[in-house]
């Protein structure tokens, strides 16, 4: 899933993917990506699928608090 959003007023994109596991718990990963000037930023959150939604509100608060300047 891809979604547009803002980080510190800059256009950013979110990419969420699940990596299935054949030997254990699958992992869900969220990346928030933006470019400011000549610098690219990638913020990544990964968790076991069963725990992903538990910590997502905290991760969202952290992303909302990011200052790039």
């Amino acid at each position: 899933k891809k979604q547009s959003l803002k980080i510190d007023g800059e256009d950013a994109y979110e990419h969420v993917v699940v990596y299935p596991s054949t030997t254990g718990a699958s992992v869900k990963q969220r990346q928030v990506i933006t470019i400011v000037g000549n610098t690219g930023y990638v913020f990544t959150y990964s968790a076991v699928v069963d725990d992903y939604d538990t910590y997502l509100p905290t991760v969202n608060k952290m992303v909302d608090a990011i200052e790039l300047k």
Side-chain angles (χ1 to χ4, degrees), residues 21-50:
S21 173
T22 58
T23 60
S26 296
V27 172
K28 190 169 185 178
Q29 184 179 74
R30 173 187 185 206
Q31 289 190 315
V32 178
I33 303 158
T34 191
I35 298 172
V36 179
N38 293 325
T39 305
Y41 299 89
V42 180
F43 303 95
T44 303
Y45 163 55
S46 300
V48 174
V49 171
D50 291 344

Side-chain angles (χ1 to χ4, degrees), residues 41-64:
Y41 299 89
V42 180
F43 303 95
T44 303
Y45 163 55
S46 300
V48 174
V49 171
D50 291 344
D51 294 336
Y52 184 88
D53 289 338
T54 301
Y55 301 105
L56 188 58
T58 300
V59 172
N60 287 336
K61 287 178 185 176
M62 293 168 65
V63 170
D64 290 344

